[in-house]
Amino acid sequence: QVQLIESGGGLAQVGGSLRLSCAASGPDSSAYSMGWFRQASGKEREFVAGISWYGDATYYADSVKGRATISRDNAKNTVYLQMNSLKPEDTAVYYCNFLLQYGGTLPRAGYWGQGTQVTVAS
């Protein structure tokens, strides 16, 4: 059974930075494209960033483009999301998940972890 465990969230100031981590356990967990998603209170979960299985290609939602960097270390089965220049609208629970396909924004069903809360104080 593959598990995804997010960490690194917390309280940040506007303009600050946070680095989120997602540790994946289970067989072949590094063989898939991965994505970060977020869900603000009262809103639908939305795609934030995606990375190819090898880590050589990335793409971002317009809302974070230029402020976020997704990366991965397959030796550690870990995906990261560096968020800079944080804004109050970045406040949400952040989740990682496998992507159905690279370039898409749809996650695989059944793999959501508990997420990590990011709160940006204005």
Side-chain angles (χ1 to χ4, degrees):
Q1 178 82 19
V2 175
Q3 286 189 312
L4 300 172
I5 301 175
E6 301 91 346
S7 62
L11 178 64
Q13 298 297 313
V14 170
S17 299
L18 283 173
R19 189 193 196 203
L20 309 182
S21 298
C22 168
S25 63
D28 299 325
S29 55
S30 64
Y32 298 95
S33 296
M34 295 288 296
W36 280 96
F37 300 79
R38 67 185 182 186
Q39 186 169 21
S41 180
K43 295 188 176 181
E44 296 289 320
R45 186 149 39 194
E46 63 177 2
F47 170 82
V48 176
I51 188 167
S52 62
W53 73 270
Y54 193 66
D56 58 340
T58 60
Y59 56 106
Y60 302 90
D62 288 343
S63 58
V64 302
K65 198 170 294 182
R67 301 188 298 116
T69 302
I70 186 171
S71 60
R72 68 191 299 167
D73 183 340
N74 286 342
K76 297 181 179 180
N77 284 341
T78 302
V79 180
Y80 305 97
L81 183 68
Q82 177 72 41
M83 291 284 295
N84 300 322
S85 302
L86 286 165
K87 304 176 180 180
E89 50 264 44
D90 293 321
T91 296
V93 179
Y94 283 70
Y95 303 86
C96 66
N97 204 339
F98 303 103
L99 293 170
L100 284 178
Q101 62 183 39
Y102 177 75
T105 61
L106 296 178
R108 290 181 179 266
Y111 292 100
W112 296 110
Q114 83 289 349
T116 185
Q117 175 72 48
V118 170
T119 302
V120 183
S122 57

